[in-house]
Amino acid sequence: MTGGDRVVVTLEISAKETVAEGVTAVTFVHPTGARLPDWTPGSHIELVLPEGTVRHYSLCGNRWDPYTYRIAVLREQQGRGGSAYVHDVLCAGDRVGVGGPRNHFPLVPSDTYLFIAGGIGITPLLPMIYQAELLGADWQLLYGGRNRDSMAFAGELSAAHDERVHIAPQDEYGLLDLAFWLGTPRTDTKVYCCGPAPLLAAVEATCADWPPYALHTERFTAAEQAAPVRDTPFEVDLRRTGRTVTVTPDVSVLEAVRRAGAEVLSSCEQGTCGTCLTPVLEGRPDHRDSVLADHQRAANDCMFLCVSRSCGDRLVLDL
């Protein structure tokens, strides 16, 4: 299955272990022992489960190990079943489809970093911390969670980095003291934050006076969006498929192009994971995702089909 240039390969689970209360780490290898595609800090993979469910998870292992991918999965009590399947059904030796890796949360160069994690949001930050340490950058981690038992990798982070790591479970310290950490804007620091929506909203509000592009976030749930630019049908031309489809207000572009025979890999269908990113050849998308930065939206050369729509009468997609 492909979406744009996306390809799903079959990998084998080599190890599965509990790393915190409600968090399971899973390690993948190629069944033949072959080298896996390289990745960069902030990358994620799409896990295509045997019953067809697709979920995306941040890579949190050693990016310099070319033979393994590692993810950590939180059991979502109110989820759609993907995390429960990983926890309860998958075992070492099982084979699953994997798409990616790709990166919508890249680590940009900086002399100084402040990493802020909430719960399972620690996962994409782990390789970033390793990279910052490798490059000799100055960095600190502020890590919050429900309680210590639920905070994956907290112990090993503290043991390895001591004074750079600040563990603040909510049941011991309350909410993270963002005013202390972010109250004074700094021109030499990049802030990377991943976690639940309330944390991201609080960090964004506290960083309002920071320099542009100082704050980088990754979301688990979609940000609130205004009403679509238009509430009338529009046409979508599929350049490679050679078909034109009409997208009505009650149908997503993703659903419409699939009906036309285009195979597009998707996961969250909320505009947060980046799985269904598709090149735009002509037209202006109405971007409604929670992934692209402002300058990426202004380029109008790609869109997320699950939530984004069209500003005009016609879009041409590379599908």
Side-chain angles (χ1 to χ4, degrees):
M1 181 188 299
T2 63
D5 296 324
R6 287 152 174 73
V7 177
V8 174
V9 298
T10 299
L11 298 184
E12 183 174 302
I13 296 175
S14 63
K16 181 180 176 183
E17 60 178 325
T18 299
V19 292
E21 182 181 285
V23 181
T24 292
V26 183
T27 303
F28 302 92
V29 297
H30 195 281
T32 67
R35 182 188 181 105
L36 302 177
D38 294 337
W39 56 281
T40 54
S43 295
H44 69 270
I45 57 173
E46 289 93 26
L47 201 59
V48 185
L49 300 175
E51 88 290 7
T53 300
V54 180
R55 295 291 181 266
H56 65 105
Y57 298 106
S58 297
L59 288 168
C60 61
N62 179 7
R63 63 170 294 225
W64 301 109
D65 178 354
Y67 299 101
T68 66
Y69 288 158
R70 192 187 194 207
I71 62 174
V73 180
L74 171 69
R75 180 189 288 275
E76 297 281 0
Q77 299 299 336
Q78 306 302 320
R80 295 176 290 165
S83 66
Y85 192 98
V86 173
H87 276 251
D88 299 336
V89 179
L90 290 183
C91 300
D94 288 349
R95 296 184 179 185
V96 295
V98 172
R102 50 192 148 265
N103 196 343
H104 300 294
F105 190 42
L107 184 69
V108 300
S110 181
D111 292 331
T112 307
Y113 297 99
L114 174 60
F115 300 110
I116 303 176
I120 197 63
I122 190 63
T123 51
L125 302 185
L126 289 175
M128 295 186 182
I129 290 169
Y130 183 88
Q131 184 78 356
E133 185 77 5
L134 187 67
L135 296 175
D138 184 19
W139 64 270
Q140 294 191 77
L141 168 67
L142 177 61
Y143 183 9
R146 188 176 67 255
N147 54 54
R148 288 185 184 272
D149 289 343
S150 69
M151 298 171 68
F153 312 111
E156 62 192 69
L157 282 165
S158 294
H161 304 293
D162 194 19
E163 74 282 352
R164 292 184 183 270
V165 175
H166 308 273
I167 306 297
Q170 186 173 349
D171 64 343
E172 297 178 31
Y173 297 96
L175 298 177
L176 297 178
D177 188 356
L178 299 180
F180 173 81
W181 290 93
L182 300 170
T184 302
R186 301 192 291 275
T187 59
D188 64 340
T189 302
K190 300 296 185 187
V191 179
Y192 277 79
C193 180
C194 185
L199 173 63
L200 293 177
V203 169
E204 288 171 344
T206 312
C207 284
D209 294 329
W210 279 61
Y213 308 115
L215 174 62
H216 302 259
T217 61
E218 184 167 61
R219 294 181 174 275
F220 298 145
T221 57
E224 291 187 12
Q225 301 286 344
V229 168
R230 58 185 292 153
D231 58 3
T232 55
F234 56 91
E235 301 296 313
V236 174
D237 290 347
L238 310 182
R239 178 64 56 85
R240 284 189 275 157
T241 307
R243 296 184 180 181
T244 298
V245 297
T246 299
V247 182
T248 55
D250 60 324
V251 173
S252 69
V253 177
L254 176 64
E255 184 178 354
V257 301
R258 280 177 167 171
R259 290 177 181 176
E263 294 188 355
V264 181
L265 186 66
S266 68
S267 176
C268 70
E269 301 193 6
Q270 299 176 12
T272 60
C273 72
T275 305
C276 63
L277 182 67
T278 299
V280 175
L281 304 179
E282 296 178 32
R284 186 160 66 94
D286 174 13
H287 295 289
R288 305 182 58 74
D289 63 273
S290 301
V291 177
L292 295 178
D294 289 343
H295 70 280
Q296 294 172 312
R297 295 184 177 204
N300 289 321
D301 58 2
C302 63
M303 65 183 289
F304 294 102
L305 303 188
C306 63
V307 292
S308 297
R309 303 187 69 78
S310 178
C311 292
D313 295 333
R314 177 174 174 266
L315 288 173
V316 180
L317 304 180
D318 186 19
L319 288 175

